[in-house]
Amino acid sequence: MAGEGGLTELRRGVLGPCVLALLELRPRFGLELVRDLAAADGLLTSDGTVYPLLSRLRDAGLVTSEWRDDEGERARRYYSITEAGRQSLTAFRADWAWFSATVGGVLNHAAVHAGTEEKGGHQ
Amino acid sequence: MSGTVLDHWLVRGYLRELDAVMRGLPAAQARELREQITAHLDDALRPDADDYEVAATLSRLGSPADLAAEAGAASGSPGPRSTLSGWRLATVIAVPMVIAAVLGGQQISSDARTAVTFGRDQHLAQLNAAVVRLTQNLEDERDLSAGYVAHGKAGPVPVTLADARTATDAAARAVQADAAGVGAGYQPGTVQDLKSLLTSLTDLGDIRTAMSSRAWPASQVIQVYTDNVIGPVITFSAAVGAGTDDTRLQVTVTTLAALLGVENDLSVQRAVLYAALSAQPPKLLPPGLTSLTQAAQQQQADQIDFNASADTAEQQFFSNTVSGSAVDRASMQETLAEAAATANPQAPLTRNTGLDAATWYGDMSTTIDDTRKVTDQAAGQITARANTLKSNATRRLLLTSIITLLLLVLLFVTALARPLRKLVNQSGRRSVILGRG
């Protein structure tokens, strides 16, 4: 249960940047976004959570939305990334690289350390 | 073409639930989320999607509560979880509890009033039992006093009369003790009658003194005892049932009042003839004869009252109990005395009649004692009934209080259970819509 909760928190933190990354390529409508995110295994706990997130990103000025009435299609709300969104995404990419490296290093080091302690005790 | 998946029964249920859980969100935010979700479903499902497809899509979407919670957390608004802290908390918890408390309180207060009323009835029934005993002692004292006075007050007060006075005093003290506390809350008429009774008891000493010091004839002794003391005592006993709501208790009180009347009528007959036979020489003068026949007529009237209010078993008990050779002999002696006095009031009553004061007193006392057995049974029934009513009322009061308390606790717990269940749902569990197919 603790692991599940931790994963949920992690997902919550990275989902926003992932949405921004998808929108960086091209504008998308809701279901499109959901399907692309769902394709990345384990990223979504439930499809619906994307929508409050989109509203949040829009309120933060990272995303805009507009109705598009393409021929032969129904009217859909399309989301696109803003300039602020791009900057935020760039910043996150840098942070993530550093963060994942640091966390990975600590986790690996801890595992190695724990292994030596088991074998030889204190030095 | 009305074909849209939004009309699917599962979708409608889902959206209804979503609307419900979004009630705590700002309107614009709720509107937006609803629009996003309906667009999602419209895109994700064909209009003719089957139940399984719809259920699977809805399940992937997540529970409405999760969505609303997510939206609430995003906007920093209180969110659906904490809507229960506002006016909804009041409707969910407080209103039912207040209603239960008010209704329960009303029932408790009504039951408490009933218990108090029956408590008063119980008190009066206990007092009444003492009053019945007092009546009997007063009758004995009156009748013996009449004989003593008629005999010319020769010598000291006879032992029988002295004993009767002692018994009366003891019974009067018991009544006075039981009368304590009868006042506010009781029927005003009953309180008034009790006051008259207690006042009349204080006259008793004066009556005894006057009887010895003044030249009262026996007839006056009988009248003073009857009118000044025994009358108020019997009146009170009849008033005991006035305030009660219980019909059975009321009827028994009426029966008892009739019986006390019969008993007193018999006793007056005993007094009049005992005084006549104790006189020197024994004579039943016209005023005495009138008193005797009046008392006998009154006895018939009271007997009719008794039959009207008593049930068959009680009437049977009366006729079985007040019977036997002594009762027959007393009746015969009275008829004989009346005939002799009518023929010649001046002739000594004992001549050629075989009548004699002691025999008459003894036989008539047996008749009266038999009647008292019936009277005592009625008084006992009143006490028992009043006790039952009181304990029933008390038990009911206790039960109502416990039920109300349990109801309040239950309401409180169920009211808390809903928000708790919501919290559990929101912290990870999904609503399993698939389970409904």
Side-chain angles (χ1 to χ4, degrees):
Chain A
M1 201 65 198
E4 175 71 13
L7 204 55
T8 304
E9 289 306 308
L10 271 178
R11 283 197 195 100
R12 197 190 298 277
V14 299
L15 199 56
C18 289
V19 166
L20 290 177
L22 285 170
L23 294 181
E24 193 185 27
L25 302 173
R26 60 177 172 85
R28 286 159 213 259
F29 62 91
L31 183 65
E32 218 179 337
L33 266 174
V34 167
R35 288 201 170 135
D36 293 340
L37 288 168
D41 193 28
L43 207 50
L44 275 184
T45 46
S46 60
D47 296 354
T49 45
V50 174
Y51 295 104
L53 172 67
L54 282 169
S55 302
R56 209 181 322 162
L57 293 173
R58 201 236 2 251
D59 290 346
L62 306 180
V63 152
T64 55
S65 71
E66 58 168 349
W67 283 97
R68 255 196 235 170
D69 205 349
D70 294 337
E71 266 181 57
E73 292 283 332
R74 77 172 101 237
R76 290 197 178 100
R77 186 192 285 277
Y78 275 79
Y79 296 87
S80 35
I81 193 164
T82 63
E83 189 46 42
R86 286 178 204 283
Q87 284 173 14
S88 170
L89 182 59
T90 309
F92 181 80
R93 282 199 173 107
D95 286 347
W96 179 258
W98 166 80
F99 185 74
S100 57
T102 308
V103 172
V106 169
L107 291 176
N108 289 335
H109 172 72
V112 170
H113 189 69
T116 49
E117 266 191 3
E118 250 173 50
K119 278 181 191 161
H122 290 287
Q123 290 176 324
Chain B
M1 288 288 277
S2 63
T4 161
V5 78
L6 297 180
D7 288 333
H8 191 280
W9 65 275
L10 281 172
V11 174
R12 271 188 281 123
Y14 186 92
L15 292 176
R16 210 162 38 235
E17 200 186 334
L18 182 66
D19 287 338
V21 294
M22 287 195 307
R23 237 171 257 154
L25 293 177
Q29 202 179 350
R31 211 166 36 240
E32 185 179 16
L33 183 57
R34 195 181 204 280
E35 179 213 295
Q36 289 168 325
I37 296 301
T38 51
H40 174 99
L41 293 170
D42 251 340
D43 285 336
L45 290 162
R46 296 183 323 279
D48 59 347
D50 65 26
D51 287 0
Y52 182 81
E53 291 169 318
V54 173
T57 301
L58 291 176
S59 181
R60 273 201 306 277
L61 206 48
S63 78
D66 286 347
L67 289 183
E70 191 71 32
S75 71
S77 78
R81 194 181 319 186
S82 43
T83 50
L84 277 163
S85 63
W87 62 272
R88 288 187 68 196
L89 182 74
T91 48
V92 170
I93 301 180
V95 170
M97 285 189 66
V98 165
I99 290 172
V102 167
L103 291 180
Q106 275 175 352
Q107 192 58 50
I108 289 173
S109 121
S110 152
D111 286 353
R113 270 200 304 278
T114 309
V116 167
T117 308
F118 283 134
R120 290 187 188 124
D121 287 352
Q122 189 185 32
H123 185 179
L124 287 177
Q126 194 188 338
L127 172 58
N128 186 46
V131 167
V132 167
R133 262 192 308 282
L134 174 64
T135 313
Q136 296 164 351
N137 290 319
L138 279 168
E139 285 164 355
D140 290 347
E141 180 181 332
R142 172 191 59 194
D143 301 357
L144 290 168
S145 299
Y148 171 63
V149 167
H151 198 60
K153 291 180 267 186
V157 171
V159 181
T160 47
L161 178 54
D163 286 351
R165 284 177 176 175
T166 310
T168 303
D169 290 340
R173 278 195 301 276
V175 167
Q176 281 158 344
D178 283 344
V182 178
Y186 288 76
Q187 291 284 312
T190 310
V191 174
Q192 189 54 49
D193 288 342
L194 180 60
K195 216 165 123 185
S196 305
L197 183 159
L198 294 173
T199 310
S200 75
L201 289 182
T202 58
D203 290 350
L204 209 51
D206 293 341
I207 293 172
R208 287 172 186 166
T209 313
M211 198 184 76
S212 302
S213 58
R214 293 193 209 157
W216 277 2
S219 61
Q220 187 159 0
V221 171
I222 295 170
Q223 193 187 339
V224 167
Y225 265 102
T226 307
D227 294 351
N228 290 31
V229 191
I230 297 175
V233 173
I234 291 180
T235 302
F236 169 77
S237 179
V240 160
T244 183
D245 294 330
D246 186 64
T247 320
R248 218 166 104 196
L249 192 59
Q250 260 173 351
V251 168
T252 319
V253 168
T254 311
T255 307
L256 176 66
L259 279 169
L260 282 176
V262 171
E263 192 184 296
N264 182 52
D265 300 331
L266 285 167
S267 181
V268 169
Q269 293 168 56
R270 177 177 67 175
V272 172
L273 196 50
Y274 181 55
L277 289 168
S278 301
Q280 302 289 346
K283 272 183 202 165
L284 183 58
L285 295 171
L289 181 59
T290 307
S291 302
L292 189 65
T293 45
Q294 275 176 354
Q297 280 162 5
Q298 185 60 45
Q299 185 201 331
Q300 295 305 316
D302 288 336
Q303 189 82 45
I304 289 169
D305 284 350
F306 167 75
N307 287 336
S309 124
D311 61 30
T312 322
E314 287 166 333
Q315 292 180 26
Q316 197 66 50
F317 181 63
F318 185 97
S319 48
N320 287 347
T321 309
V322 189
S323 65
S325 52
V327 174
D328 296 342
R329 277 202 307 275
S331 176
M332 229 158 59
Q333 290 169 62
E334 190 172 343
T335 312
L336 211 59
E338 279 171 354
T342 310
N344 184 3
Q346 295 300 331
L349 199 54
T350 44
R351 187 199 294 163
N352 300 329
T353 56
L355 290 171
D356 137 76
T359 308
W360 161 252
Y361 195 90
D363 288 342
M364 196 53 168
S365 294
T366 304
T367 309
I368 292 169
D369 285 344
D370 287 349
T371 311
R372 284 175 183 171
K373 285 177 196 157
V374 186
T375 310
D376 289 346
Q377 185 190 262
Q381 278 172 355
I382 290 172
T383 316
R385 180 68 183 156
N387 287 346
T388 307
L389 289 172
K390 174 69 199 313
S391 60
N392 283 353
T394 310
R395 205 165 39 239
R396 198 181 140 88
L397 174 61
L398 189 72
L399 205 68
T400 311
S401 306
I402 290 173
I403 288 173
T404 304
L405 198 70
L406 282 178
L407 199 66
L408 284 176
V409 169
L410 196 73
L411 272 174
F412 189 69
V413 168
T414 47
L416 273 187
R418 274 177 65 180
L420 281 179
R421 207 167 47 231
K422 261 190 171 146
L423 276 179
V424 171
N425 277 343
Q426 280 163 5
S427 67
R429 233 183 59 196
R430 307 261 209 94
S431 72
V432 188
I433 293 174
L434 272 171
R436 254 183 94 173

